[in-house]
Amino acid sequence: MEDREIRAALDLHWAASDANEFEAEHLIYQEDAVLEYPQSGERIRGRRNIQASRTAQPNMKRFTVRRILGVGDLWITEFVLTYDGRPSYTVSIMEFKDGKVARETQYFGDAFEPGPSRAQWVERMR
């Protein structure tokens, strides 16, 4: 699969994620894909289990993609995942095999107040 095709698949994946279109969201994964959340120590095996875990999520969620970078079989998406109005700054690392995601790792960072010691150099991003 060429990079432009993977990029198009990622664009569809994140748009489906934002729209809660669970079937379309999970077409990008291999049947035996693995999803890991290192911060909570969770590993989910299998596309259907990944989809079921996300379908069961009770929170209202929105995805805002900030950027997608990648080449070949390794792609990174930086996005803001908002649960019930609360943003979590997120990085998804996807490893592709035969044109589908074989492994994904997601890292989450909650928002925090800026440090006053660096205020003179800071430009607020909102």
Side-chain angles (χ1 to χ4, degrees):
M1 198 171 200
E2 292 191 26
D3 289 351
R4 64 180 168 69
E5 294 171 302
I6 291 176
R7 175 56 194 253
L10 285 165
D11 288 340
L12 288 172
H13 167 75
W14 294 115
S17 297
D18 186 53
N20 288 314
E21 295 174 2
F22 296 109
E23 195 63 38
E25 176 183 12
H26 293 88
L27 292 175
I28 200 168
Y29 296 99
Q30 291 186 347
E31 287 298 322
D32 62 348
V34 175
L35 171 62
E36 294 183 340
Y37 299 119
Q39 289 159 295
S40 63
E42 295 171 280
R43 178 178 296 126
I44 303 170
R45 294 184 184 276
R47 182 172 69 89
R48 289 291 170 199
N49 290 335
I50 294 168
Q51 182 176 342
S53 73
R54 290 177 174 161
T55 302
Q57 172 57 251
N59 303 77
M60 287 295 301
K61 58 186 185 265
R62 297 303 311 256
F63 293 77
T64 304
V65 173
R66 297 186 65 182
R67 64 182 165 161
I68 298 174
L69 303 169
V71 66
D73 292 335
L74 184 62
W75 289 78
I76 315 259
T77 303
E78 176 187 356
F79 61 99
V80 180
L81 176 55
T82 304
Y83 281 115
D84 294 332
R86 185 169 172 237
S88 183
Y89 298 87
T90 310
V91 173
S92 166
I93 302 169
M94 290 182 169
E95 299 172 50
F96 284 76
K97 182 179 175 187
D98 301 324
K100 297 269 188 184
V101 174
R103 176 175 293 278
E104 179 180 16
T105 304
Q106 288 189 356
Y107 296 94
F108 301 87
D110 290 333
F112 57 89
E113 289 301 314
S117 64
R118 60 182 176 266
Q120 67 187 13
W121 301 287
V122 170
E123 174 184 330
R124 292 301 302 241
M125 303 175 3
R126 295 213 197 243

